[in-house]
Amino acid sequence: MQQLEQDIKAALSAAIQQVFGATVAAEQLVMQPTRKEFAGTFTLVTFSLTKSLGKSPEQIGQALGEWLAANESRVSGFNVVKGFLNLEIGDSEWLRQFAEMLARPDNAPVPSNGPQRVVVEYSSPNTNKPLHLGHLRNIFLGYSVAEIVKATGATVTKANLINDRGIHICKSMLAYQRFGQGETPQSSGIKGDHLIGKYYVLFERHYREEIRQLEAEGVAQDIAKRQAPLMTQAQQMLLQWEQGDEEVLALWKQMNGWVYEGFDETYRTIGVDFDKYYYESETYLLGKERVEEGLQKGVFFRKDDGSVWVDLKEEGLDEKLLLRADGTSVYITQDLGTAELKYQDFNYDSSVYVIADEQNYHMQVLQGVLHKLGKPYAEAIHHLSYGMVDLPSGRMKSREGTVVDADELVQEMVDTARRTTQELGKIEGLSSEEAEQLYHTLALGALKYFLLKVDPKKRMLFNPEESINFQGNTGPFVQYTHARIAAIMRKATELGLTGGQIDGLESLHETERDAVQLLAGYPGVVAEAARLLAPSILVQYVYEVAKAYNRFYTEVPVFGEPDEPKRRFRVALSAQTGRTLKAGMRLLGIMVPERM
RNA sequence: GGUUGUGUAGCUCAACUGGAUAGAGCACCUGACUACGAAUCAGGAGGUUUAAGGUUCGACUCCUUACACGACCA
């Protein structure tokens, strides 16, 4: 398909040379897919040629169309509408394309000239509370981007940088010491990450109570916030942690361990994985060497109080603190260290950070600083920035208890899938394990599809009632199409209609042609999604494919077709559609069922 | 205050990066199961693309200036 488009462009360029004696490079031609209300596959926009050729758009279109119809065998016809030359591709070419895609192995990498060694960092949670809906958008994006890039043949590492140290986890630890009474995930039956989250909430509640009391005693609010005993103790605990206090470290390890068990279970449930874990407790000191390097190179400067800064005004940013006066590191210091470490580990030519858009500025600074340091990998850093997920009630706020918990959400989706499936009653013959597996597949399909459908940089709205939808442009719609095809294939196998050569066909039904054309575009779509780090492009594509197939399905019979070659072709088209849907959905992290 | 993102049908989102009459889904109406799976398909209705200027053969897209919402930086 990509090849075909290039060939057509080259032919057009030749035609311009022949007919008008002018030279226009193939890359300069403006081509687009033909809109579906017109006949054709490719459309040349001729407006842009009027100046150089000195003719009207219609004349140009007519002349070029005639030339191509006569000289390019794959162009079977054309029509000119105003400044648009619509080129029709013959069915014999589509059948050739179809045979080509049948021969393509499932795991063949799609052609692309993108980066070869890629690190995708995503999830990167704090260890003081369980994952919520916002994390899910991050995780699904990261996982899908990694899989898409992998499909272009690149070596991809999925990395998770766990923020396991800092004041937040100390808050949970302190509250646990105070109120925990030795409770464990085992003794309480609470999942580890939720248990730690419970103490984080407890901390916040008691902390607020302390502030209120201090304020009642006449202390100003900002002072009260700093002086509340719980806060000073949490700070104290962080200090003890940094000094290696054994008791604190033991508690820290124990509680983080619980959180990791909880996270792992969630990751397993939602079907994502990682190749490499980084822990901030192990990397947070690394950045100081980079700061030293920058001072030596003279790109950073030290202020009188001893703090180290970088001046990024020329880059349109600001002066930025890199190291505090007391020598302790700030966020950016750690990130400098981690970037270097990742580069040492994987020698990447692209490093993708899936991080919410509230950190846009921070990421610009990171890149700017690496640039100043002359790091070869500064250019390789890509911030895949995504917007927050809002609820109908507004922004999710953990302090106000309005977050949508990831585990609960998945469970609700599974329940909905179960209810819907049982109402439709089409899965007799599945064991109860298989049925549960199916509900899970459908639930996650709906959720992932919903979150990946939207352009990452846009904020999106999640309405719990409306978003759990199984009709229309949804994951289950695509999954349903696959299940439908699977049913066709089961019957085809019984009838012995699978495999073998597709020949003896001359023309295609309109719906067949549309489907073949779409299917031929698959490698190009994956390459584009990889280039733009945009799963939403692939979501749009699988939806188009499923729609095209469903239209074909209702308009032409497969087994009722008397003509044997047609019957075989339709089975093969179904099979190829099924393969493509499965492959595309897999890159989105979504499984497709054989029946539902 | 500074920087930056977003604004498209009642709702949730597209629009191939400047091209044709701005497209889908949901919700709302109308049709299609004795057929290979109706979680489907076909059709209807729904728009001054926040507003006003500008650039040109042509603007949702680019440039100004407002307005609204968000985020970040003091």
Side-chain angles (χ1 to χ4, degrees):
Chain A
M1 186 73 173
Q2 291 159 293
Q3 187 58 50
L4 177 61
E5 183 171 348
Q6 278 175 25
D7 291 349
I8 298 291
K9 276 190 171 185
L12 281 163
S13 181
I16 291 168
Q17 185 70 252
Q18 294 265 323
V19 179
F20 298 101
T23 303
V24 178
E27 302 84 59
Q28 291 177 312
L29 295 170
V30 182
M31 277 243 289
Q32 59 188 15
T34 304
R35 298 180 71 106
K36 54 178 175 288
E37 60 262 41
F38 302 103
T41 299
F42 300 109
T43 294
L44 176 75
V45 182
T46 55
F47 290 108
S48 55
L49 296 169
T50 52
K51 276 189 204 117
S52 47
L53 302 187
K55 298 272 194 257
S56 75
E58 290 86 350
Q59 286 171 320
I60 294 168
Q62 189 64 32
L64 294 181
E66 280 168 12
W67 194 92
L68 257 75
N71 294 286
E72 166 56 64
S73 61
R74 286 170 287 189
V75 173
S76 61
F78 72 96
N79 60 86
V80 176
V81 184
K82 292 188 281 184
F84 300 92
L85 169 60
N86 301 319
L87 297 167
E88 295 160 42
I89 302 301
D91 285 344
S92 59
E93 170 62 13
W94 290 125
L95 284 163
R96 202 191 58 71
Q97 295 252 348
F98 185 67
E100 213 173 272
M101 65 179 100
L102 286 188
R104 184 177 177 273
D106 275 332
N107 52 3
V110 309
S112 125
N113 46 14
Q116 287 308 301
R117 285 176 311 280
V118 181
V119 177
V120 181
E121 178 190 304
Y122 63 100
S123 190
S124 303
N126 290 347
T127 56
N128 63 328
K129 52 186 182 241
L131 304 173
H132 61 66
L133 178 54
H135 294 116
L136 291 182
R137 187 176 195 191
N138 177 310
I139 292 169
F140 295 154
L141 265 173
Y143 180 86
S144 178
V145 162
E147 292 296 325
I148 289 169
V149 172
K150 209 186 280 182
T152 66
T155 304
V156 178
T157 304
K158 299 170 181 165
N160 192 353
L161 171 61
I162 297 189
N163 188 7
D164 60 343
R165 64 169 278 280
I167 192 71
H168 52 85
I169 179 68
C170 288
K171 289 177 178 176
S172 291
M173 287 159 64
L174 187 61
Y176 180 79
Q177 266 184 344
R178 194 71 64 80
F179 315 110
Q181 299 179 323
E183 187 177 36
T184 68
Q186 288 72 30
S187 74
S188 63
I190 300 175
K191 195 161 161 283
D193 50 337
H194 289 264
L195 187 68
I196 270 55
K198 173 179 150 186
Y199 286 100
Y200 186 74
V201 171
L202 268 180
F203 174 93
E204 289 292 335
R205 191 187 303 161
H206 285 91
Y207 172 50
R208 249 178 300 167
E209 182 53 33
E210 287 184 353
I211 294 172
R212 200 174 311 139
Q213 277 187 11
L214 284 171
E215 283 186 293
E217 292 164 15
V219 182
Q221 193 186 46
D222 54 332
I223 295 175
K225 279 183 180 170
R226 263 180 282 138
Q227 290 187 343
L230 276 170
M231 183 52 86
T232 58
Q233 285 165 28
Q235 299 280 7
Q236 176 62 27
M237 190 177 252
L238 181 59
L239 219 60
Q240 286 175 313
W241 182 90
E242 291 189 358
Q243 288 160 354
D245 182 286
E246 280 185 30
E247 197 183 328
V248 170
L249 276 179
L251 178 62
W252 174 76
K253 278 185 187 153
Q254 181 181 44
M255 292 184 69
N256 271 334
W258 293 341
V259 171
Y260 299 149
E261 282 171 27
F263 284 170
D264 284 347
E265 188 181 327
T266 302
Y267 291 146
R268 237 186 346 266
T269 303
I270 63 179
V272 300
D273 58 5
F274 300 93
D275 304 307
K276 174 74 180 178
Y277 285 84
Y278 290 102
Y279 297 89
E280 281 203 10
S281 58
E282 293 168 5
T283 63
Y284 83 107
L285 295 175
L286 290 179
K288 291 188 184 176
E289 284 178 37
R290 303 281 75 71
V291 173
E292 198 50 46
E293 183 185 342
L295 282 169
Q296 277 172 15
K297 287 184 177 172
V299 292
F300 300 162
F301 65 95
R302 202 185 283 278
K303 287 196 177 174
D304 292 342
D305 65 358
S307 57
V308 179
W309 295 71
V310 64
D311 183 355
L312 293 171
K313 289 205 201 74
E314 280 180 22
E315 287 79 3
L317 303 169
D318 218 331
E319 284 188 3
K320 189 77 189 171
L321 176 70
L322 297 178
L323 204 60
R324 291 200 192 92
D326 61 7
T328 58
S329 51
V330 291
Y331 270 115
I332 191 89
T333 329
Q334 312 172 21
D335 292 335
L336 292 174
T338 313
E340 177 86 7
L341 183 61
K342 276 200 233 168
Y343 188 67
Q344 285 168 7
D345 286 347
F346 300 108
N347 189 29
Y348 54 73
D349 40 35
S350 173
S351 179
V352 179
Y353 292 71
V354 183
I355 302 182
D357 62 7
E358 57 190 355
Q359 305 227 35
N360 282 355
Y361 181 79
H362 177 80
M363 290 303 293
Q364 278 179 27
V365 171
L366 176 63
Q367 191 157 20
V369 173
L370 290 172
H371 211 93
K372 285 247 177 210
L373 282 170
K375 294 295 175 186
Y377 51 82
E379 292 304 315
I381 285 180
H382 299 286
H383 177 200
L384 175 45
S385 170
Y386 64 92
M388 300 278 167
V389 182
D390 286 323
L391 300 173
S393 52
R395 185 173 178 176
M396 285 194 283
K397 291 205 173 101
S398 44
R399 289 207 190 110
E400 294 171 19
T402 54
V403 293
V404 175
D405 178 76
D407 294 322
E408 279 175 30
L409 176 60
V410 169
Q411 194 49 52
E412 281 169 29
M413 301 283 297
V414 170
D415 292 341
T416 307
R418 181 183 299 113
R419 215 177 321 114
T420 308
T421 305
Q422 287 173 351
E423 274 168 21
L424 291 170
K426 291 197 264 190
I427 56 162
E428 311 87 32
L430 288 195
S431 70
S432 60
E433 291 81 30
E434 287 168 329
E436 282 303 319
Q437 181 59 48
L438 172 64
Y439 307 146
H440 188 257
T441 297
L442 295 175
L444 280 165
L447 189 55
K448 291 184 182 182
Y449 192 99
F450 184 84
L451 291 174
L452 291 174
K453 190 166 74 161
V454 180
D455 177 4
K457 73 168 179 281
K458 291 192 177 176
R459 286 180 86 90
M460 65 183 295
L461 186 88
F462 186 87
N463 186 327
E465 280 87 45
E466 292 174 13
S467 303
I468 304 180
N469 205 321
F470 290 5
Q471 272 115 35
N473 189 355
T474 65
F477 169 83
V478 180
Q479 291 172 318
Y480 171 78
T481 308
H482 183 270
R484 217 179 199 189
I485 290 169
I488 291 267
M489 296 317 294
R490 284 192 291 272
K491 182 157 181 182
T493 305
E494 278 174 34
L495 297 175
L497 282 169
T498 55
Q501 286 290 334
I502 307 297
D503 49 23
L505 266 189
E506 275 161 23
S507 65
L508 295 171
H509 186 268
E510 183 196 343
T511 59
E512 293 171 333
R513 186 160 45 239
D514 287 348
V516 170
Q517 197 172 315
L518 263 173
L519 293 175
Y522 177 73
V525 169
V526 174
E528 184 72 352
R531 190 173 71 80
L532 299 174
L533 306 175
S536 61
I537 292 177
L538 197 51
V539 171
Q540 189 64 29
Y541 174 78
V542 292
Y543 176 61
E544 296 292 341
V545 170
K547 250 198 335 187
Y549 183 82
N550 282 323
R551 204 157 70 86
F552 155 79
Y553 183 93
T554 45
E555 288 200 24
V556 301
V558 176
F559 302 116
E561 167 60 47
D563 183 54
E564 162 96 11
K566 281 188 183 170
R567 205 158 55 230
R568 283 192 172 275
F569 170 76
R570 285 172 192 171
V571 169
L573 178 61
S574 300
Q576 183 58 22
T577 304
R579 276 177 77 196
T580 306
L581 289 179
K582 186 173 188 171
M585 291 286 265
R586 197 189 65 72
L587 300 186
L588 298 169
I590 303 176
M591 301 291 116
V592 289
E594 295 299 308
R595 56 187 87 210
M596 64 187 271

